[in-house]
Amino acid sequence: MIDTLRLTAEEAWRLVDGREISGAELFAAYAGREDDLHAYLHRCDDPGGDGIPIAIKDVIGTKGVPTTAGSKILEGYVPVFDSTVASRCKQRGLRLLGKTNTDEFAMGSSTENSAFGPSRNPWDPTRVPGGSGGGSAAAVTGGLAPWALGSDTGGSIKQPSALCGNVGLRPTYGTVSRYGVVAFASSLDQVGPVAKTVRDCAFLYSIIAGRDENDSTTVEVPTVELPGAEDLTGVRIGVPKEMNEAEGIEPGVSAAVRRAIELAESLGAEVGECSLPRSVEYGVACYYLVAPAEASSNLGRYDGVRYGLRSDAADFREMLMQTRHDGFGDEPKRRIMIGTYALSSGYYDAYYGTAQKVRTVIRREHADVFESFDLIVSPTSPTVAFKIGEKVDNPLAMYLNDLLTIPSCMAGLPGLNIPCGLSEGLPVGLQLIGPQFSENTLFRAGHALERALGFDSVPERLR
Ligand code: GLN
């Protein structure tokens, strides 16, 4: 019997390599499990081959397999080419289990903005799995995939991993190709891995990362080192006070993070306080100008002609308007309006221009901190998983959920979530942020902490 709730991708790989099980058996073990979490929007048949399976977020284009980005406007769209990340997975023999649920166009923090209904948290199905990549995170923890790909603009890999109790990496901007990925905010979007362990996460990252001539923002990346060390000797860890004492952080979350920091110290890390005052104060406001501005431009391509949905109307102009009216949900509409406003003549300098300047301040503030520290730590999400429906009528409360994940995204920096304990029976995520291209440091520290913490990633109700 293959225990899909516990098996790591590394173990699965070893079993298949050693011919103890076949790739087909492994695929069937995941594919045969009922998706009562609504983690998937589309599940695939076994495509053959002998590699291990993977789930891919539905904003990532997959040849011949529907890709909707959680939106009605892309319903029925089947890409005619693979995104670079999907094709790199294929080249390594990985088999596609299916496309995972996401907030529409990756806009959200709970999957409740998916046009196809929310996913559920494997620890408590009455709660959200986080978002936008809640489907990928729920699939990994719920035993529906050994690992998955997500995408992260302002926290969509890190935050769902935190709420579901698994490991997620948002890589340094420019290390993973965005070619063939549905664009939300192009200066922020990054694809990254979600897995049960830091080693799996590092391995999947090594498969997808690297220069791609189809995405001119990509660069060569340092060779990925699979982490093995169990100590943190010599690692300088900064604790930004604003990110650990911010209003709205639940006491149970603070306590678990504090214990993880003490543990890091006992493993040999040098821990000290640091400060990111403007990044925390202005990060969310800045993001909610830059991201919608870019989204308003990127979403211009859904015109009823090139992809998916087309509504009936008398002439072209009306068809275009009717398609966008019918096809986009409330959140994309809200963001298109905010973004268009922020970019409009007369307001451009005051809103978009100012946000770009603030973004530079955020980048510099982080660079200053990394003069003295190798990485910084904070909670990933200020709260544990909240109830489905709890925040749907309050976009601002939903946006504030991103308080701690957004600043480093604005600065283009990599971030790793690892589970660090439970609060009220629900997982708490620890966020590790490093300077550009410091993925190997994050893996090393994440692995050592993961070992020492001994978090059981199988939800109590499923053990
Ligand atoms: N929750 C944030 C938003 O709604 C981040 C989403 C993401 O990273 N794609 O924009």
Side-chain angles (χ1 to χ4, degrees), residues 64-407:
V65 179
T67 300
T68 67
S71 181
K72 264 206 204 121
I73 212 162
L74 276 174
E75 206 168 4
Y77 170 60
V78 181
V80 293
F81 68 104
D82 266 324
S83 55
T84 298
V85 288
S87 98
R88 287 190 179 176
C89 288
K90 263 187 196 163
Q91 278 161 22
R92 291 300 294 264
L94 303 191
R95 310 158 159 220
L96 183 59
L97 278 163
K99 306 298 294 293
T100 52
N101 198 10
T102 167
D103 286 291
E104 188 172 356
F105 289 104
M107 297 170 177
S109 307
S110 68
T111 71
E112 290 165 295
N113 295 335
S114 167
F116 308 107
S119 298
R120 293 172 181 277
N121 193 305
W123 291 78
D124 175 354
T126 67
R127 292 175 188 267
V128 303
S132 63
S136 283
V140 170
T141 292
L144 293 155
W147 55 11
L149 290 182
S151 71
D152 189 301
T153 306
S156 279
I157 291 174
K158 297 183 285 184
Q159 185 258 18
S161 280
L163 269 43
C164 289
N166 58 41
V167 181
L169 171 75
R170 175 201 163 86
T172 304
Y173 185 82
T175 56
V176 179
S177 171
R178 289 175 294 110
Y179 178 69
V181 179
V182 176
F184 164 11
S186 307
S187 76
L188 290 153
D189 298 343
Q190 273 299 280
V191 172
V194 181
K196 285 201 184 73
T197 65
V198 175
R199 279 176 65 90
D200 278 0
C201 205
F203 188 32
L204 186 48
Y205 173 68
S206 77
I207 293 173
I208 58 172
R211 167 119 184 93
D212 171 21
E213 62 177 23
N214 287 322
D215 177 352
S216 60
T217 62
T218 54
V219 293
E220 293 296 346
V221 305
T223 307
V224 178
E225 293 156 15
L226 285 189
E230 294 187 7
D231 70 297
L232 289 171
T233 310
V235 180
R236 299 166 303 167
I237 298 181
V239 183
K241 57 173 184 290
E242 302 81 5
M243 291 176 74
N244 287 275
E245 288 161 20
E247 206 185 312
I249 301 180
E250 290 173 352
V253 170
S254 288
V257 167
R258 220 175 309 114
R259 280 195 301 274
I261 294 171
E262 282 162 19
L263 193 61
E265 219 164 359
S266 73
L267 295 173
E270 295 162 30
V271 177
E273 194 180 82
C274 63
S275 181
L276 289 164
R278 283 171 296 195
S279 302
V280 178
E281 183 166 1
Y282 303 120
V284 171
C286 181
Y287 172 88
Y288 279 100
L289 283 169
V290 172
E294 294 185 22
S296 71
S297 162
N298 274 325
L299 269 48
R301 62 173 61 105
Y302 303 104
D303 55 6
V305 176
R306 285 175 284 186
Y307 316 88
L309 185 79
R310 174 181 303 175
S311 300
D312 279 340
D315 59 26
F316 173 72
R317 198 184 151 77
E318 237 179 73
M319 182 282 289
L320 195 152
M321 293 200 304
Q322 194 60 42
T323 300
R324 290 170 69 84
H325 170 85
D326 297 339
F328 287 131
D330 288 349
E331 191 61 28
K333 281 180 181 152
R334 185 178 293 129
R335 299 207 191 191
I336 290 169
M337 284 190 276
I338 294 172
T340 306
Y341 184 77
L343 290 174
S344 59
S345 113
Y347 295 103
Y348 183 97
D349 287 338
Y351 292 113
Y352 186 70
T354 306
Q356 290 290 48
K357 288 180 192 150
V358 173
R359 190 171 182 181
T360 302
V361 170
I362 293 173
R363 190 176 299 126
R364 291 206 183 124
E365 212 171 63
H366 280 79
D368 284 349
V369 165
F370 289 121
E371 295 276 309
S372 328
F373 294 98
D374 300 309
L375 47 91
I376 58 177
V377 297
S378 77
T380 303
S381 162
T383 71
V384 292
F386 43 94
K387 290 266 186 196
I388 291 178
E390 194 179 319
K391 297 189 184 183
V392 276
D393 296 325
N394 188 346
L396 265 172
M398 198 66 99
Y399 296 175
L400 277 173
N401 209 267
D402 309 328
L403 179 74
L404 305 172
T405 50
I406 277 180

